[in-house]
Amino acid sequence: MAIDVPTQTDESETAPPRGSIWSALRPLVLRVHFYAGLLIAPLLLVAATSGLLYSLSFQAEKILYSDELTVPVGDRAVPLSAQVDAARKVRPDGTVTAVWPSYEDGATTRVLMTTPDVEEGRSLAVFVDPYTADVRGELTSYGSSGALPLRTWLDELHRDLHLGDLGRNYSEMAASWLWVVALGGLLLWLGRRRTAKRALFVPERGVKGRRRTLSWHGSVGLWAVTGLVLLSATGLTWSRYAGENIGAVQDQLGGATPTVSATLEGGAHDGHGSGQTGAHQGADVGVDKALAAARAAGIDGKLSVVLPAEGSGYIVKETDTTFPVHLDSVAVDPKDGKVIDELRFADYPLLAKLTRFGIDAHTGVFLGLANQLALAALALALILLILWGYRMWWLRRPTKDRKLSAGRAIPRGAWRKVPITMLLPLAAVTAAIGWFVPMLGISLLVFLVADLAFAGVRRARARA
């Protein structure tokens, strides 16, 4: 994202008072913002574009998969066990792992299975009419939100460009720098001297060229900066490298997300984890009675019923992430239908709650449609900020009649203007952040080495 780069015609308007702290820091912030925006902006543009498409995919799925998701409202629903049996009949090669009962009039029941033709980490969702037990279709489902093929494809494009672990480096790099570029741009925009405060929030009228572009870039960035920083922070929570550090700190502070225990007496596995090795053997009250027991314990609304595995019981959990959230869960003994453990969202540690809210907001499920529209607006704003930034860089090229010339860079040596009493703490904080957010630290180090190399080459040429 390019930046507020002063020219000879507007230096008097933008320069801060001499001798102030900001006057010492501004050239350094300006240089970091310029190079970070120039070099990281392509990654941010990809992330913003794919994020925009992802935010629109929720509503698109409702239209594209309407036959599977909705049915005419009937008079009475058949037992949930009958709906599961109907799914088993059409896919006898599958193993039912969970059921999402119809949660509103006209919505289908989703029976999730593992099958030989569905890759690990995903499920085959068989959609069943809750009133007739007729199968409406089947689609691949992914994640706790039940993303269907369209949203799953766009989510993977946004996360790793369909390149697996290698591609995750792109999204982590973008998230690592987004908050730096956004906050740097905010400081530069607030630090400008202007005659009217209105120009801080609204683009100026009657100006042209680079100043007009800068006015739009700055004012839109001011409105978007909070959302962009939150997107960066929440995106880093499940990134590959920074995410591990964030998780470790969260665990140390006692903010790990708790889980309900479905382990039966004498059992070897926890049904909430990945240790399930086979289907439950022995007495089983059935999914209908397990669901009834959970509802008697106050678990209701939009639900997921995880079927028992070897050594574990049923897990019935609420999955309504719209505010106020309903994420309580219980474990039910398949032998007698009694609740053996329960977990209320109100009992989550504060950090676990905030993490849950942040991730759900980033993925567009926290506030439903309003959340998705906000994500789309932020993604569109970021795209425009990047394009405006590159346009400003282009308009600053030294010789406009040379079509291939580039915009001028910020002069070197900006750090020399920062007092040593401020520079040393700033360097220490930067090093700590670079260690905690490795993709930021490594790329910043690469920028510095490349910058020093270019400076050495220029000095050698000047001597020659």
Side-chain angles (χ1 to χ4, degrees):
M1 200 184 309
I3 34 45
D4 171 15
V5 182
T7 64
Q8 293 180 350
T9 57
D10 63 3
E11 180 66 28
S12 60
E13 178 188 353
T14 63
R18 294 183 180 274
S20 67
I21 295 177
W22 176 236
S23 66
L25 284 176
R26 185 177 185 274
L28 183 60
V29 175
L30 194 60
R31 186 166 172 81
V32 171
H33 187 67
F34 175 79
Y35 277 110
L38 189 66
L39 300 174
I40 302 300
L43 301 182
L44 291 174
L45 186 59
V46 172
T49 304
S50 58
L52 174 62
L53 295 175
Y54 172 81
S55 65
L56 302 176
S57 66
F58 290 86
Q59 303 307 314
E61 278 191 340
K62 294 180 180 180
I63 300 172
L64 187 61
Y65 305 122
S66 59
D67 289 342
E68 289 85 0
L69 295 173
T70 59
V71 293
V73 178
D75 296 328
R76 185 177 180 181
V78 301
L80 188 59
S81 56
Q83 300 175 49
V84 175
D85 290 339
R88 285 194 175 109
K89 284 183 180 180
V90 298
R91 289 307 299 255
D93 59 331
T95 300
V96 178
T97 57
V99 184
W100 294 6
S102 172
Y103 62 93
E104 62 182 2
D105 292 341
T108 54
T109 292
R110 195 177 302 195
V111 180
L112 302 179
M113 296 181 170
T114 57
T115 62
D117 56 337
V118 175
E119 62 185 282
E120 186 178 357
R122 303 189 184 187
S123 300
L124 178 70
V126 179
F127 299 86
V128 182
D129 187 328
Y131 307 104
T132 64
D134 293 335
V135 173
R136 299 283 296 185
E138 53 186 59
L139 295 167
T140 303
S141 177
Y142 177 77
S144 59
S145 65
L148 297 177
L150 173 64
R151 183 150 52 102
T152 300
W153 192 90
L154 290 172
D155 175 55
E156 291 179 348
L157 176 67
H158 179 69
R159 184 174 65 247
D160 58 22
L161 301 178
H162 296 280
L163 297 175
D165 286 340
L166 177 64
R168 290 182 65 184
N169 294 329
Y170 119 82
S171 59
E172 183 165 357
M173 180 77 77
S176 298
W177 277 98
L178 176 57
W179 68 274
V180 177
V181 178
L183 292 180
L186 176 65
L187 290 175
L188 292 169
W189 186 244
L190 294 177
R192 284 176 62 88
R193 296 173 61 186
R194 48 179 60 82
T195 56
K197 290 185 178 180
R198 182 178 183 276
L200 182 67
F201 303 97
V202 181
E204 293 184 71
R205 296 178 181 177
V207 293
K208 297 180 180 180
R210 180 184 169 279
R211 184 170 175 177
R212 180 173 182 270
T213 305
L214 173 61
S215 179
W216 279 94
H217 181 86
S219 55
V220 171
L222 179 67
W223 289 104
V225 64
T226 302
L228 295 178
V229 171
L230 289 176
L231 281 180
S232 174
T234 53
L236 287 174
T237 56
W238 71 87
S239 62
R240 188 175 183 182
Y241 302 109
E244 292 182 1
N245 293 334
I246 294 172
V249 171
Q250 185 175 346
D251 292 344
Q252 289 291 326
L253 296 176
T257 301
T259 59
V260 67
S261 175
T263 303
L264 302 176
E265 185 178 351
H269 305 287
D270 184 347
H272 196 74
S274 58
Q276 301 177 1
T277 57
H280 169 72
Q281 302 295 326
D284 189 347
V285 296
V287 66
D288 293 299
K289 290 186 177 180
L291 182 58
R295 283 178 169 155
I299 308 299
D300 207 351
K302 193 175 181 180
L303 302 176
S304 168
V305 182
V306 179
L307 270 60
E310 180 187 354
S312 68
Y314 287 92
I315 297 176
V316 184
K317 48 190 175 182
E318 297 173 340
T319 60
D320 185 4
T321 56
T322 56
F323 190 82
V325 300
H326 297 92
L327 298 173
D328 298 344
S329 58
V330 298
V332 179
D333 193 329
K335 181 176 63 176
D336 53 18
K338 292 183 179 179
V339 173
I340 57 177
D341 190 31
E342 62 181 60
L343 176 64
R344 306 294 173 177
F345 184 71
D347 297 329
Y348 277 37
L350 177 60
L351 278 179
K353 289 180 180 178
L354 294 177
T355 301
R356 179 77 269 165
F357 294 151
I359 291 176
D360 288 344
H362 189 109
T363 55
V365 298
F366 180 46
L367 297 173
L369 179 60
N371 193 166
Q372 295 147 28
L373 292 176
L375 287 177
L378 277 176
L380 181 60
L382 182 55
I383 292 172
L384 292 174
L385 288 170
I386 293 169
L387 297 179
W388 286 328
Y390 274 121
R391 173 172 170 76
M392 284 189 292
W393 180 57
W394 175 253
L395 291 174
R396 293 191 70 251
R397 63 194 190 278
T399 308
K400 294 187 177 182
D401 58 354
R402 291 173 56 196
K403 295 183 178 181
L404 297 180
S405 62
R408 292 169 294 177
I410 309 304
R412 290 185 175 87
W415 62 272
R416 296 190 185 95
K417 299 181 180 180
V418 183
I420 192 68
T421 54
M422 189 185 303
L423 184 62
L424 291 179
L426 184 62
V429 171
T430 302
I433 295 175
W435 173 84
F436 193 76
V437 186
M439 297 297 284
L440 175 63
I442 293 172
S443 56
L444 180 59
L445 186 60
V446 171
F447 290 166
L448 291 175
V449 171
D451 194 45
L452 291 174
F454 290 141
V457 170
R458 287 192 176 184
R459 282 195 296 267
R461 288 179 177 176
R463 293 193 188 101

